Amino acid sequence: RERAVRAQREGIPLVDKILGEPQTIGALGSGVMAPMSNFVLASRLVRKVQEKVTGISAEFPLPPMAKETFSSWLGKRRENAREKTAAESAELREVVLFPTCYGEFNTPEVARAAVAVLEHNGFRVFVPGTEEGDSEVMSCCGMPNLDGGDIAGYTRKVEMNVALLLPHVKAGRKVVVPGPTCGYTMKREWAEYVPTADVEAVSTAAVDLME
């Protein structure tokens, strides 16, 4: 809250603006750009230059970028998957996976494992933003914006995510989150800062993967 007051008074520092957009950084640095991104992240000299420009300390550990994002893997997997019969689909329980920015761009093996474990236990897994007919993709949970005092940016992300998740929640699906920071933000912070019935419904439906 102090950071939010300071941001209103002094503006949001460049370092917080950058770190507040992990999905943008991930989209730009993952995939075909991953080798170059990881070289930059591992180079102490380049990180020193980056520190001068962005304010992000060269000592601050930044996660590596994945050569194949979770969404890319999921798309290929669906293309190669055997079509299930209506009877098979009817027997499955259903959940929604919120893969998180780390799960999408940095450690997609975690999100892939979550899908495998959930499916093994009889769940059909939806990922909003990747389903047929979806025109928007899920955003960051907003915690990095909140951490930097950017309440407006945080609120936009909450509203974007809720718009995608709400139809699934209304269909009776829980929102499974494999990252505890994102899980906490969705369960505790979303409805506090954006106190609407829709946000409350999604927050109530959110559960940590370990739950």
Side-chain angles (χ1 to χ4, degrees):
R1 294 178 188 276
E2 188 278 331
R3 294 292 293 276
V5 172
R6 191 193 309 174
Q8 287 181 332
R9 184 176 63 244
E10 303 173 4
I12 302 168
L14 177 61
V15 61
D16 287 325
K17 289 181 179 180
I18 295 172
L19 294 177
E21 303 300 329
Q23 79 283 0
T24 301
I25 295 172
L28 292 173
S30 60
V32 295
M33 291 301 296
M36 178 62 72
S37 300
N38 292 330
F39 170 78
V40 170
L41 293 174
S43 170
R44 189 167 183 80
L45 177 60
V46 176
R47 287 294 304 275
K48 282 292 186 182
V49 174
Q50 180 190 62
E51 180 177 350
K52 297 293 185 182
V53 176
T54 66
I56 301 174
S57 170
E59 305 299 325
F60 184 74
L62 295 172
M65 294 292 177
K67 292 182 180 179
E68 182 180 49
T69 64
F70 171 68
S71 294
S72 178
W73 169 84
L74 189 65
K76 293 176 183 177
R77 183 174 183 270
R78 284 175 175 166
E79 289 175 3
N80 297 328
R82 177 176 65 88
E83 289 293 328
K84 290 184 178 295
T85 65
E88 285 177 309
S89 297
E91 293 176 358
L92 296 176
R93 294 170 289 173
E94 296 179 335
V95 294
V96 181
L97 183 70
F98 185 90
T100 77
C101 293
Y102 275 104
E104 174 66 27
F105 301 113
N106 307 113
T107 57
E109 64 273 14
V110 174
R112 294 198 299 263
V115 171
V117 170
L118 288 164
E119 289 184 344
H120 179 76
N121 283 278
F123 289 92
R124 180 183 178 188
V125 180
F126 289 87
V127 182
T130 69
E131 304 296 331
E132 186 175 349
D134 286 344
S135 59
E136 300 289 340
V137 297
M138 283 191 293
S139 182
C140 163
C141 72
M143 175 55 83
N145 298 99
L146 200 58
D147 188 52
D150 182 6
I151 304 302
Y154 167 80
T155 301
R156 284 194 299 271
K157 288 175 182 175
V158 173
E159 292 171 343
M160 288 171 58
N161 286 320
V162 167
L164 280 169
L165 291 167
L166 187 62
H168 294 279
V169 171
K170 287 183 174 180
R173 300 167 190 139
K174 291 289 187 182
V175 181
V176 180
V177 190
T181 299
C182 297
Y184 175 85
T185 302
M186 295 167 72
K187 291 188 287 184
R188 302 296 184 188
E189 304 287 356
W190 277 14
E192 182 172 346
Y193 283 86
V194 190
T196 67
D198 289 348
V199 174
E200 180 65 32
V202 174
S203 293
T204 302
V207 295
D208 289 318
L209 177 62
M210 295 305 173
E211 292 184 87

